Amino acid sequence: MRALVLSRYGGPECTALADVPQPSPRAGELLVGVHAAGLNPVDYKTRAGGLRIIHRYSLPVVMGNELSGIVEAVGAGVMRFAKGDRVFARVDKNTMGTFADYAVVHEDHAALMPASLDFLSAAAVPLAALTALQALRDELHLSAGQRVFIPGGAGGVGTFAIQIAKQLGAHVATTASPRGEALVKRLGADVVIDYLRERFEDKLSGYDCAFDLLGGETLARLWSVLRRGGRVVSIAGIPEPMTARKDLGRGSGLAALFWVASLTTRQRAARHGVSYRYLFMHPSGADLAYLASLIEAQKLEVVIDRVFPFTEAKEAIAYLETGHAKGKVVLAMR
Ligand SMILES: NC(=O)c1ccc[n+]([C@@H]2O[C@H](COP(=O)([O-])OP(=O)(O)OC[C@H]3O[C@@H](n4cnc5c(N)ncnc54)[C@H](OP(=O)(O)O)[C@@H]3O)[C@@H](O)[C@H]2O)c1
């Protein structure tokens, strides 16, 4: 089968389209004929080797983290899916493999596609929407009437996060350039700050929580936006000890490393009386089924920036890597 293969860590030249053996589903797994695959920053971060401390792939490896497609076969013991089902999934982080004609997915990570979506839109959902849901609902415990700041609302995660926060009844402030302003307003943002012209900390204060999608300088300036007792969850800043234990199931070695790396960030948070957590999302078929129900009820819209044919997978990753996508970038596999 055709696949985009990573043969060593580095730039785009380290990936190539290649013919590789088709995978076989093991117990509990589905073999999915991939119709579309969503792209995410984790794809180019993985290619560059930036996540080696967390996931050690044995190279060469087929890239790609999420898919939509049709179940072609099931492994022993699969209970919830059958050949012919239209499914979508964020696949196991330790295997990847969705930039290919066929991929295997554990049944616990898959859900039936919303009937109202085509394969391209369905492939855009899993990783970004699961991240937004798990951050806002499970980590920030966002509830009706609360105020949340979501810097960077126009991208893959942000377009889902704004909508999910509104679903939870929150007031949402976000940042976007003029290129993304109309989009984030349409998705429900109550306050939009043009980050090219204004500093958000001059405009916002007393917020209950923030969901940081940008890290770096944005995270460093975020604290004064929050009230004392407020909460920050970042998916782009510095991992902290709980990231190692709760999200990665790792021991004290990695937790200690993250403790050191996040010291300045945690000290800043403490000075402002705010809690800080770095989240790694996890695959979840149950959460994905919930997101599918929101989509079916027309409460969650999928925003696609661009679709590339599979033969242009490298160009698609390079496009996402410019950092200016509005919504999601997707590969059409068939
Ligand atoms: N920890 C996890 O589990 C997890 C999961 C998913 C994603 N992530 C991380 O979360 C981050 C966001 O992911 P994504 O998929 O949303 O990325 P993305 O789709 O590439 O985000 C692009 C968007 O970010 C906006 N942007 C860039 N700089 C900005 C700034 N300074 N202020 C406001 N907006 C800005 C861009 O708007 P303009 O074009 O208008 O500048 C663009 O619309 C990435 O670092 C990704 O690796 C982590």
Side-chain angles (χ1 to χ4, degrees):
M1 65 170 191
R2 301 171 308 160
L4 185 74
V5 173
L6 177 69
S7 51
R8 62 183 199 285
Y9 294 112
E13 71 284 357
C14 300
T15 63
L17 291 173
D19 268 324
V20 302
Q22 186 177 311
S24 306
R26 292 171 304 183
E29 290 180 339
L30 319 173
L31 176 70
V32 178
V34 184
H35 280 243
L39 269 66
N40 295 278
V42 70
D43 299 321
Y44 56 76
K45 292 181 182 181
T46 299
R47 186 202 65 209
L51 300 173
R52 263 180 295 182
I53 192 172
I54 296 162
H55 302 296
R56 284 201 168 269
Y57 300 105
S58 123
L59 302 182
V61 66
V62 178
M63 297 182 70
N65 287 283
E66 63 185 347
L67 58 72
S68 65
I70 298 181
V71 176
E72 299 286 342
V74 298
V78 166
M79 303 296 289
R80 291 194 295 277
F81 299 94
K83 186 171 172 1
D85 284 345
R86 287 156 42 107
V87 294
F88 65 157
R90 191 273 185 254
V91 300
D92 193 316
K93 294 181 176 185
N94 294 313
T95 52
M96 300 195 293
T98 68
F99 296 163
D101 288 326
Y102 296 91
V104 288
V105 183
H106 196 281
E107 72 164 333
D108 291 347
H109 298 165
L112 292 175
M113 270 172 55
S116 57
L117 289 191
D118 60 19
F119 287 112
L120 294 172
S121 294
V125 174
L127 197 154
L130 286 171
T131 304
L133 179 69
Q134 291 167 4
L136 294 166
R137 182 195 63 185
D138 304 339
E139 296 294 336
L140 290 171
H141 306 293
L142 192 62
S143 59
Q146 290 192 324
R147 297 198 299 163
V148 60
F149 177 41
I150 306 176
V157 178
T159 48
F160 287 115
I162 291 168
Q163 298 181 80
I164 291 169
K166 292 307 296 178
Q167 277 300 312
L168 293 168
H171 165 101
V172 177
T174 192
T175 53
S177 74
R179 294 182 298 270
E181 184 183 347
L183 172 64
V184 297
K185 278 191 176 152
R186 179 165 63 74
L187 297 175
D190 299 288
V191 177
V192 182
I193 296 165
D194 174 358
Y195 76 87
L196 297 175
R197 287 196 310 113
E198 295 174 310
R199 291 172 74 79
F200 58 75
E201 62 271 42
D202 296 338
K203 296 268 168 185
L204 308 174
S205 62
Y207 273 63
D208 299 292
C209 53
F211 177 28
D212 166 45
L213 315 182
L214 295 166
E217 185 234 359
T218 298
L219 180 59
R221 289 164 36 210
L222 194 57
W223 312 106
S224 64
V225 166
L226 295 148
R227 64 166 172 80
R228 289 195 84 74
R231 302 176 303 284
V232 173
V233 167
S234 177
I235 55 167
I238 310 287
E240 37 73 37
M242 201 190 288
T243 318
R245 292 198 202 90
K246 186 175 169 187
D247 301 345
L248 302 173
R250 299 278 286 274
S252 48
L254 193 63
L257 196 66
F258 287 172
W259 188 93
V260 173
S262 62
L263 185 58
T264 307
T265 304
R266 290 184 292 107
Q267 283 173 337
R268 283 182 183 145
R271 267 202 299 279
H272 286 84
V274 169
S275 69
Y276 174 73
R277 165 99 166 89
Y278 181 95
L279 172 73
F280 273 118
M281 60 80 64
H282 57 273
S284 165
D287 284 351
L288 205 46
Y290 170 69
L291 290 163
S293 73
L294 291 183
I295 292 167
E296 287 292 40
Q298 298 191 327
K299 292 177 176 167
L300 193 61
E301 176 185 332
V302 183
V303 179
I304 295 198
D305 178 297
R306 259 181 92 171
V307 177
F308 289 78
F310 181 45
T311 49
E312 293 174 20
K314 289 171 74 156
E315 289 82 353
I317 295 174
Y319 174 74
L320 183 71
E321 202 166 357
T322 65
H324 295 300
K326 298 288 163 288
K328 292 278 302 182
V329 179
V330 177
L331 289 180
M333 306 298 300
R334 292 169 193 247

